[in-house]
Amino acid sequence: MMIRGFLNRGYEPPAPFVKVFLISKNLGVRKFLDLHIDTGAASTIILDKDVRYLRLDVKSLKKAERKIGGIGGLIDTYLIEDATMIFKTEEDVPHEEKLALLVGIHKLDKLTEEERRLIMKLPSLLGRDILRKFRLIYDERLNQVFMES
């Protein structure tokens, strides 16, 4: 089974992404998201820009036991406990991954305007919790991004 990703050329160098359909029945979420494929991220996480896009009320989410650190510093994390991510395969068959999905929120009110602008550009990440189930094929020269099981 092959899941096709894409190169987002809005980044320099171009960054590998994959499109998923995110569902949470508890939160009433049913939307497409573009996730940056990040082998450096241990966990898949929805970040500030997509929290707004999904209209998530973070106060209604269970707080995760740990904070996450990375670009943008240490952030509080929350859980979407009933998340389902649906990937479209090359064979046009949906592939589902169920997970307790992390949601990361920066304290934007404590940042400068420039820092807020940069944080709001950060994409949500597809991490190794999902990637470890696949073989990642990334070839910028051939414009190819695939996840193969």
Side-chain angles (χ1 to χ4, degrees):
M1 171 192 60
M2 298 276 278
I3 296 167
R4 181 183 295 273
F6 63 95
L7 287 172
N8 184 329
R9 297 200 178 271
Y11 294 88
E12 183 53 45
F17 276 74
V18 66
K19 186 173 287 298
V20 301
F21 189 66
L22 176 63
I23 298 172
S24 167
K25 290 180 184 174
N26 292 344
L27 300 175
V29 171
R30 296 182 62 81
K31 289 200 173 186
F32 284 100
L33 279 178
D34 291 339
L35 299 177
H36 174 69
I37 298 172
D38 187 350
T39 61
S43 302
T44 299
I45 187 165
I46 304 301
L47 293 174
D48 304 81
K49 176 179 65 164
D50 288 325
V51 169
R52 284 190 182 171
Y53 164 69
L54 295 170
R55 297 183 180 166
L56 296 179
D57 177 13
V58 176
K59 293 175 188 155
S60 71
L61 300 176
K62 178 181 174 184
K63 193 162 187 177
E65 293 179 12
R66 63 188 166 117
K67 292 185 177 199
I68 298 261
I71 296 175
L74 203 60
I75 59 173
D76 289 327
T77 55
Y78 301 85
L79 294 170
I80 299 176
E81 296 182 289
D82 72 330
T84 301
M85 292 190 315
I86 301 175
F87 300 85
K88 184 178 175 184
T89 67
E90 284 283 285
E91 299 80 22
D92 231 7
V93 176
H95 173 80
E96 289 188 9
E97 291 286 339
K98 295 182 184 298
L99 71 158
L101 180 59
L102 288 177
V103 175
I105 299 294
H106 291 82
K107 291 183 165 73
L108 296 175
D109 59 330
K110 299 193 188 266
L111 302 175
T112 67
E113 183 60 36
E114 177 66 9
E115 289 168 330
R116 279 193 294 273
R117 188 181 67 72
L118 292 171
I119 292 295
M120 291 307 290
K121 286 185 174 183
L122 291 176
S124 296
L125 306 175
L126 183 74
R128 292 189 315 272
D129 56 341
I130 299 296
L131 287 173
R132 70 179 178 206
K133 300 176 182 182
F134 298 92
R135 181 171 76 109
L136 178 62
I137 301 162
Y138 170 75
D139 189 331
E140 185 179 332
R141 293 169 296 134
L142 296 176
N143 200 36
Q144 292 180 339
V145 178
F146 290 99
M147 293 169 24
E148 180 182 55
S149 67

